[in-house]
Amino acid sequence: MAWIDAPKLEILKANGLDFYAANRPLADDFSFEPPCSLKFTTVEHGCSMGAFSYIVSGFMCGVSIGRYCSFGEGVQIGRQNHPMDWLSTSPFLYLPGQQILSAAETFNSIFLEQPPQIPKSPTSLRLTVIKNDVWVGHGAIINAGVTIETGAIIAAGSVVTKDVPAYAIMGGNPAQIIRYRFQATIIARLLESQWWQFTPEQIKSWPFYDIEQFIGVINQVRADIQAYMPNKVNIQKLFLS
């Protein structure tokens, strides 16, 4: 983990990442396309984020996020499992105490100092994929290992336990499809257009408020304009440079 102090916050900002509040950790394998924003989010290992996406607050681990995604407050993405077929589900049996709580140093004699030699890992990282233009409401929980396709909407407080189709609106616990944002023919044309490859400045003159007109325009002009392809920034490489 990289410890983000005030000077490093300024470096992140200069490279296109908003990460609010200094003196917090950020996974050093995190990578992003600028610009995007993590705000007050806890970021564990195995995460990436595309341009024009943001999350207000919450937790993320082992997730690939595309472009133009919007996440509300307290969103939980990719919380990993505990071993359910072992003696106990508790990580105190297979992780050193200091990795779980800072008070472990006071009780060294009763906590593990080193991980035990065990024949298999207690859990394996399950990767979560969230594609482009996904909107996730406040307090939603997205289970590890699911894929949320482009254009989907997840209602506030929902618990997503299975894959979400493109442009579906889902809600509930467990989340179920409420309806689709557009007709199937429109969805297919939007996915084919790959409009998220372009910047807000490029799109602003197109009729994005009228889907059918927008599809007509982008199909006419996309061959003549350059897709936005910024260099991805890796946290570890950024702070080593």
Side-chain angles (χ1 to χ4, degrees):
M1 301 291 281
W3 189 257
I4 307 301
D5 54 17
K8 286 182 177 178
L9 274 183
E10 292 305 313
I11 295 173
L12 291 177
K13 183 177 180 180
N15 283 272
L17 178 66
D18 277 345
F19 186 63
Y20 295 176
N23 300 318
R24 291 195 297 133
L26 174 62
D28 55 14
D29 66 348
F30 178 70
S31 62
F32 65 94
E33 287 183 328
C36 60
S37 176
L38 294 173
K39 297 191 177 181
F40 300 100
T41 309
T42 298
V43 180
E44 299 265 333
H45 60 284
C47 296
S48 64
M49 178 175 278
F52 317 116
S53 291
Y54 72 89
I55 177 169
V56 177
S57 64
F59 172 93
M60 51 195 285
C61 176
V63 58
S64 170
I65 296 173
R67 294 182 175 183
Y68 287 98
C69 291
S70 307
F71 299 85
E73 297 178 5
V75 175
Q76 304 287 310
I77 308 171
R79 291 280 186 184
Q80 302 297 311
N81 281 347
H82 292 231
M84 293 186 288
D85 57 347
W86 288 20
L87 170 68
S88 172
T89 59
S90 173
F92 278 109
L93 291 183
Y94 56 85
L95 290 178
Q98 65 269 23
Q99 290 187 17
I100 307 172
L101 76 168
S102 58
E105 294 181 1
T106 311
F107 301 90
N108 283 339
S109 63
I110 62 173
F111 286 128
L112 296 176
E113 293 185 3
Q114 298 292 330
Q117 296 296 318
I118 50 180
K120 61 179 181 177
S121 174
T123 60
S124 59
L125 183 67
R126 294 181 299 156
L127 298 177
T128 304
V129 177
I130 300 174
K131 296 191 178 178
N132 306 285
D133 189 36
V134 172
W135 173 22
V136 178
H138 299 312
I141 298 173
I142 300 171
N143 281 8
V146 304
T147 295
I148 301 180
E149 298 286 347
T150 290
I153 296 175
I154 308 300
S158 299
V159 179
V160 179
T161 61
K162 59 184 179 183
D163 293 350
V164 179
Y167 289 93
I169 301 175
M170 293 189 68
N173 181 9
Q176 304 293 329
I177 297 175
I178 299 171
R179 63 181 178 86
Y180 285 86
R181 291 174 59 189
F182 307 111
Q183 295 178 350
T185 53
I186 296 295
I187 291 173
R189 293 170 70 190
L190 283 170
L191 294 173
E192 184 181 7
S193 78
Q194 297 187 26
W195 66 264
W196 50 87
Q197 292 187 358
F198 305 103
T199 69
E201 180 65 23
Q202 290 173 308
I203 291 173
K204 71 177 184 181
S205 62
W206 306 340
F208 55 85
Y209 45 82
D210 186 311
I211 294 300
E212 295 201 23
Q213 284 191 46
F214 178 87
I215 292 172
V217 169
I218 194 172
N219 286 340
Q220 291 177 358
V221 304
R222 66 167 295 121
D224 300 321
I225 55 177
Q226 184 69 39
Y228 179 63
M229 299 295 291
N231 292 326
K232 290 187 177 181
V233 180
N234 176 270
I235 296 300
Q236 187 176 42
K237 292 180 180 179
L238 178 63
F239 292 136
L240 287 176
S241 61

